[in-house]
Amino acid sequence: MNGGLLVAGTTSDAGKSVVTAGICRWLVRQGVKVAPFKAQNMSLNSFVTREGAEIGRAQAMQAQACRVEPTALMNPVLLKPGGEQSSQVVLLGKPVGEMSARGYHGGRQQRLLGTVLDCLAELRGTYDAVICEGAGSPAEINLRRTDIVNMGIARGARLPVLVVGDIDRGGVFASFYGTLALLSPEDQELVAGFLVNKFRGDVSLLEPGLDMLRGLTGRDTYGVLPFRHGLGIDEEDGLRVSLRGTVRESTVAPPVGEDVLRVAVCAVPLMSNFTDVDALAAEPGVIVRFVDRPEELADADLAVVPGTRGTVRALAWLRERGLADALVRRAAEGRPVLGICGGFQVLGERIEDEVESRAGTVEGLGLLPVRVRFAREKTLTRPSGEALGEPVEGYEIHHGVAQVLGGEAFLDGCRAGQVWGTHWHGSLESDGFRRAFLREVAAATGRRFVPAPDTSFAALREEQLDRLGDLIEQHADTDALWRLIESGAPRGLPFIPPGAPA
């Protein structure tokens, strides 16, 4: 078997990432050696592979669904927005420069088509099947000429295409038909059919519409997935953070101790790797919320300043909102504050940045004895060590180089009183370390909170991925999917006018 499939969507957030992960987990449970692939991803939520390459976190989670180690081949192009009109371009896991949207779509993107097709071919030579994820919609007619992630990759690799639509938004039939009708005849040949996502209610009421859709398009619907709370994988949208993190939606057990702990995460601009706090929310009795006003920090037992692609911009935002003063007051009162990556840099004394913002020297909040200088070369590592008497692992993605001038050692950063800072993303996923850290927070705040002794974040992730696999197995036409992956799109599919504009 040397199969493949492209999962496209009628819109962003239609469920492409989730469906891709679900198909991957279903296949691997059938004994298929499978890998995920996304030619181009726009995301501030990224991950570091073992070889030191940066890829989108969604692809890392899809690799976990496949039970394989993620590599740069699975996401050869990653765009990390630095504002509304420019992004850092990461090619095969390494940054190669900043580029405007116009410059990228004006020529650079199309020149990368050969690279992404080579990566896909290498994966297809290694695995039985490769399940590819598109981006946005394949019917973005203004971008089709330079497309390398939707129909461009499907045409280049002759992949069958499954279009996912979110029926919870409404208008799914029009979205399916309109998406198909705006594609060229050559693109339409590869669109095999549709998959309905997030359906609520009695499927029998939907079936007449699916029959009509088949009559109008000549294409089958490969399944109707029901709406399920708490299903998903790490969010990836680069400019719009959805605060519906997978674990934060899941039902967890009641608190073990008498009190809960409240965690307030400052929703800074260009927030990156906000999934760091999912591990906190997985703990029974820990309540996580995102905040943008100082009064929302008042009752928090722990304030978190997360990572950001714009450290200096985030610092200015904290000051404009009054959150900076609130954080300074918390530190003076001995109330816990945690800074991660860009958030750690914000808590220091001084930032010298001629790389990211080019703002020069900027005074930080002065809560940690740390000075940060931005280097042109990005740090991409997977460190491990020990903290609070527990083993801990993480990953680093940053240009800022921290000079720690005092305080107590804490991972690669430091601790001063109840203010903690580190560049390590993902450290809170280490169960023993997370429990030890929460005990420190509870002691500092006088809360009678007790961490659950048996919460395994890795097990929760696996449980989520198995639920996605179950969703495909129980609600999709898996026999038809198998034929599609193995043999490609059916021949003789009708053309639906008007097709793509000239």
Side-chain angles (χ1 to χ4, degrees):
M1 181 180 182
N2 183 16
L5 175 69
L6 175 70
V7 179
T10 57
T11 62
S12 294
D13 205 28
K16 296 183 291 291
S17 297
V18 166
V19 169
T20 300
I23 293 174
C24 287
R25 179 49 62 101
W26 162 65
L27 283 172
V28 82
R29 294 196 306 207
Q30 310 307 308
V32 177
K33 187 180 179 185
V34 60
F37 179 79
K38 186 163 186 174
Q40 173 193 292
N41 197 347
M42 176 172 279
S43 179
L44 287 172
N45 205 18
S46 58
F47 184 74
V48 179
T49 67
R50 293 208 178 276
E51 68 266 30
E54 185 180 8
I55 65 172
R57 262 196 81 96
Q59 280 60 66
M61 290 299 294
Q62 288 163 355
Q64 186 177 342
C66 298
R67 299 187 178 130
V68 298
E69 192 67 32
T71 73
L73 292 174
M74 297 172 183
N75 179 206
V77 181
L78 174 64
L79 305 178
K80 301 197 72 175
E84 296 292 335
Q85 296 186 7
S86 66
S87 294
Q88 182 181 67
V89 181
V90 179
L91 180 61
L92 293 172
K94 303 296 181 183
V96 294
E98 295 278 337
M99 188 165 287
S100 69
R102 179 176 292 275
Y104 182 69
H105 290 288
R108 177 64 184 269
Q109 181 184 34
Q110 194 172 30
R111 292 197 296 272
L112 294 173
L113 180 59
T115 299
V116 301
L117 286 172
D118 287 346
C119 291
L120 177 56
E122 187 170 342
L123 288 174
R124 295 184 80 177
T126 305
Y127 292 89
D128 299 329
V130 179
I131 308 303
C132 307
E133 180 188 343
S137 162
E140 292 170 351
I141 54 178
N142 57 315
L143 302 177
R144 176 61 185 92
R145 183 178 61 83
T146 58
D147 170 50
I148 65 170
V149 66
N150 291 305
M151 300 314 298
I153 196 78
R155 287 265 293 277
R158 302 305 299 171
L159 293 171
V161 178
L162 185 67
V163 179
V164 178
D166 179 357
I167 197 169
D168 196 49
R169 295 181 174 191
V172 75
F173 292 117
S175 297
F176 282 146
Y177 188 89
T179 297
L180 186 63
L182 283 177
L183 300 180
S184 69
E186 296 80 6
D187 286 350
Q188 287 193 26
E189 285 178 4
L190 296 173
V191 178
F194 312 106
L195 186 76
V196 177
N197 192 28
K198 300 183 187 176
F199 179 73
R200 305 173 190 250
D202 185 347
V203 176
S204 66
L205 299 176
L206 186 66
E207 288 171 351
L210 300 179
D211 291 339
M212 293 177 200
L213 184 66
R214 192 186 194 291
L216 288 166
T217 67
R219 288 158 173 85
D220 291 328
T221 296
Y222 284 71
V224 178
L225 308 185
F227 186 96
R228 291 285 187 269
H229 283 287
L231 277 184
I233 60 176
D234 294 344
E235 298 286 346
E236 66 174 28
D237 199 313
L239 291 176
R240 178 193 50 80
V241 171
S242 169
L243 306 183
R244 299 180 297 104
T246 300
V247 174
R248 292 189 292 280
E249 277 195 348
S250 302
T251 302
V252 294
V256 174
E258 297 179 43
D259 288 341
V260 299
L261 283 183
R262 292 175 173 82
V263 178
V265 184
C266 298
V268 296
L270 298 174
M271 193 188 317
S272 63
N273 293 78
F274 53 92
T275 46
D276 283 335
V277 298
D278 277 351
L280 294 178
E283 285 287 345
V286 176
I287 301 167
V288 176
R289 67 181 187 271
F290 286 76
V291 304
D292 59 6
R293 295 179 298 181
E295 57 268 27
E296 294 176 298
L297 291 181
D299 65 345
D301 301 299
L302 171 66
V304 178
V305 187
T308 172
R309 170 82 165 87
T311 300
V312 171
R313 178 175 169 182
L315 180 57
W317 181 88
L318 289 168
R319 286 179 167 137
E320 290 165 4
R321 294 283 180 133
L323 286 160
D325 290 340
L327 290 168
V328 170
R329 287 194 299 270
R330 285 185 67 89
E333 294 165 0
R335 302 172 66 201
V337 176
L338 171 65
I340 302 174
C341 200
F344 166 42
Q345 297 165 6
V346 160
L347 300 180
E349 297 173 354
R350 190 175 69 200
I351 298 167
E352 295 177 24
D353 181 11
E354 299 293 348
V355 176
E356 190 176 78
S357 68
R358 297 183 176 88
T361 301
V362 178
E363 296 302 311
L365 298 187
L367 304 184
L368 288 174
V370 173
R371 293 179 181 176
V372 175
R373 178 185 55 80
F374 274 65
R376 296 201 175 276
E377 185 174 348
K378 182 184 282 191
T379 297
L380 297 167
T381 63
R382 291 272 293 270
S384 61
E386 183 177 299
L388 303 179
E390 297 286 347
V392 58
E393 296 180 350
Y395 57 100
E396 295 185 49
I397 306 170
H398 55 91
H399 284 279
V401 178
Q403 180 186 12
V404 178
L405 302 173
E408 300 176 43
F410 177 63
L411 302 177
D412 71 326
C414 67
R415 171 188 182 181
Q418 289 301 324
V419 180
W420 314 65
T422 177
H423 275 128
W424 289 24
H425 293 290
S427 62
L428 295 166
E429 295 180 18
S430 298
D431 297 326
F433 167 72
R434 181 180 64 255
R435 288 192 277 269
F437 177 71
L438 290 174
R439 283 192 290 269
E440 292 269 352
V441 172
T445 55
R447 298 289 188 190
R448 291 170 294 182
F449 169 85
V450 179
D454 55 356
T455 301
S456 168
F457 190 73
L460 284 171
R461 287 290 198 197
E462 276 296 300
E463 188 180 299
Q464 289 291 100
L465 293 170
D466 275 332
R467 290 178 68 198
L468 293 178
D470 292 343
L471 202 67
I472 297 298
E473 191 168 332
Q474 295 166 12
H475 299 282
D477 185 343
T478 52
D479 288 340
L481 269 181
W482 187 276
R483 290 192 298 272
L484 194 62
I485 293 166
E486 193 171 33
S487 304
R491 295 188 178 184
L493 294 170
F495 170 69
I496 306 302

